[in-house]
Amino acid sequence: PQGEVFDKKINDAVAILDAESILNLDSDFIEKAGECGLRSITILMGTLEGLEVKPEVLSYEGPFGVGYMVASFVVEKQAETKPDVIDVNDKAESELHPLVALAKATVESSIKGDAVPAVKANIPELRGQTGVFVSIKKQGELRGCIGTFEPTKSNVAEEIVSNAIGAATRDPRFLPITPDELADLEYSVDILSKPELVNSTNELDLKKYGIIVEGKGRKGLLLPNLETVDTIEEQIDIARNKASLSPDDDIKLYRFEVKRYK
C-alpha cells in the first residue's frame, strides 16, 4: 500500500530536482514501500549536484502494482568552481618530494569526491613532457600502478595527476581505492627518459633500463630493477606478454631510464 505513496513522493521530488526530500525519506517508510531503484536515483542526484539542470518527468504508470517513471535531466550549464590549489613548492606540511606530494593529494581528492586540485609549481621536474608512472602501495604490497611511456599531457604535472587517478581507480588488477585506505598508502612517481631503439640485448641492463617491446602495432613495457625479474630474457618475455605477442613474433626493443621519487 505504501508503494503508491512512495512513488508519488519520488515523482514530485524528481520533477523539481529536490534531492533533500529524497535523502530525508523515513527508512521505515522506504522498507514498507518495497522500493527498487532509490539508490540509483540518489546517486543520480549526487551526480547532478552543482549543475544547472532542467528536470522533466515524461511519464509514470503503475499497471500492476509496480511503478515505472521515465524522466529526463538536461544539463544546461555546469557550475563554475575553482578547485583547491596544491602548492608543491611548500614542504612545510610534508617532507614528501613535490612530485609525490602531488600524486598523493590528487588521489586523496579524487577518492574523497573533491575537485582535483590545480597545481602551483616552480620546480623544473614538473615542466616539460615525458612519460610518467605512478605507483601506490599498501603495507608494502602493490595497490595500483598506471603510467604512460610517452607524454599524453602538456606537462609532467598533468601527467602525474592523470596517472595518479588511474592508479587509484582504473588499474584492472585491483578494485578502486576506498576512502578508508588512504591513511595506509605510500606513493612513488617514476619519470621516464625518452625511449631509445636498441639493436641487441647487449645494450640492455635490467637494473638500469626499463624496456618496451613493440610488435604488430602493440607495445608492452616493463620498469627496471624489479625484485621479481632476474634476467634480460625474463624482462623481455614479460614485456612481450604485456603486448600479447608470442615468442615467434618480430619485435623492436627500446630501452629507457627511470628516475624514481618516493
Side-chain angles (χ1 to χ4, degrees):
Q2 293 298 316
E4 184 177 1
V5 180
F6 174 87
D7 284 7
K8 186 176 187 310
K9 287 182 179 292
I10 296 297
N11 271 267
D12 291 346
V14 165
I16 59 173
L17 206 65
D18 182 3
E20 185 174 355
S21 66
I22 291 177
L23 292 171
N24 290 328
L25 287 172
D26 181 75
S27 59
D28 185 56
F29 168 64
I30 293 172
E31 184 176 356
K32 289 179 178 178
E35 64 84 16
C36 176
L38 179 60
R39 291 174 181 82
S40 299
I41 293 174
T42 303
I43 292 170
L44 175 64
M45 291 293 185
T47 303
L48 297 174
E49 185 177 9
L51 305 178
E52 188 174 311
V53 181
K54 179 182 178 182
E56 183 180 2
V57 175
L58 301 174
S59 68
Y60 172 80
E61 58 181 331
F64 47 84
V66 179
Y68 292 91
M69 176 184 65
V70 179
S72 72
F73 301 86
V74 179
V75 178
E76 298 186 323
K77 182 180 178 182
Q78 185 161 342
E80 295 183 3
T81 58
K82 293 183 178 180
D84 293 334
V85 174
I86 299 176
D87 186 350
V88 296
N89 307 296
D90 184 6
K91 298 182 69 175
E93 296 183 4
S94 171
E95 290 305 314
L96 294 175
H97 188 278
L99 274 66
V100 180
L102 174 58
K104 180 176 185 290
T106 298
V107 169
E108 291 178 348
S109 296
S110 175
I111 299 304
K112 291 175 182 177
D114 298 332
V116 175
V119 181
K120 179 182 178 182
N122 297 321
I123 62 173
E125 291 96 332
L126 287 171
R127 302 171 193 156
Q129 292 178 292
T130 188
V132 172
F133 271 72
V134 175
S135 300
I136 305 172
K137 289 188 175 182
K138 180 180 178 180
Q139 298 175 348
E141 299 293 329
L142 186 65
R143 186 63 181 83
C145 178
I146 290 289
T148 46
F149 47 83
E150 293 178 342
T152 63
K153 305 296 181 183
S154 60
N155 55 55
V156 173
E158 291 180 8
E159 207 82 42
I160 291 173
V161 168
S162 176
N163 291 338
I165 294 172
T169 64
R170 296 193 299 271
D171 188 328
R173 298 168 294 180
F174 304 97
L175 292 172
I177 287 170
T178 57
D180 61 327
E181 295 180 89
L182 293 175
D184 300 322
L185 301 180
E186 297 178 347
Y187 302 83
S188 63
V189 175
D190 293 332
I191 303 298
L192 280 57
S193 68
K194 185 176 180 179
E196 301 175 307
L197 181 66
V198 299
N199 299 310
S200 167
T201 56
N202 293 332
E203 300 177 63
L204 300 178
D205 181 332
L206 58 85
K207 298 294 184 183
K208 181 178 180 180
Y209 297 115
I211 65 166
I212 298 171
V213 170
E214 180 181 20
K216 293 185 174 181
R218 300 189 294 270
K219 294 180 181 180
L221 176 146
L222 199 67
L223 295 172
N225 199 25
L226 298 178
E227 295 179 359
T228 56
V229 180
D230 300 318
T231 66
I232 295 293
E233 291 73 20
E234 188 178 359
Q235 189 184 38
I236 294 173
D237 286 343
I238 295 172
R240 272 184 183 271
N241 289 334
K242 287 190 170 187
S244 299
L245 296 170
S246 73
D248 298 326
D249 290 328
D250 292 331
I251 61 170
K252 291 181 180 179
L253 282 174
Y254 299 83
R255 71 182 187 184
F256 60 88
E257 293 186 73
V258 169
K259 189 168 184 179
R260 173 163 291 177
Y261 298 90
K262 302 174 70 174

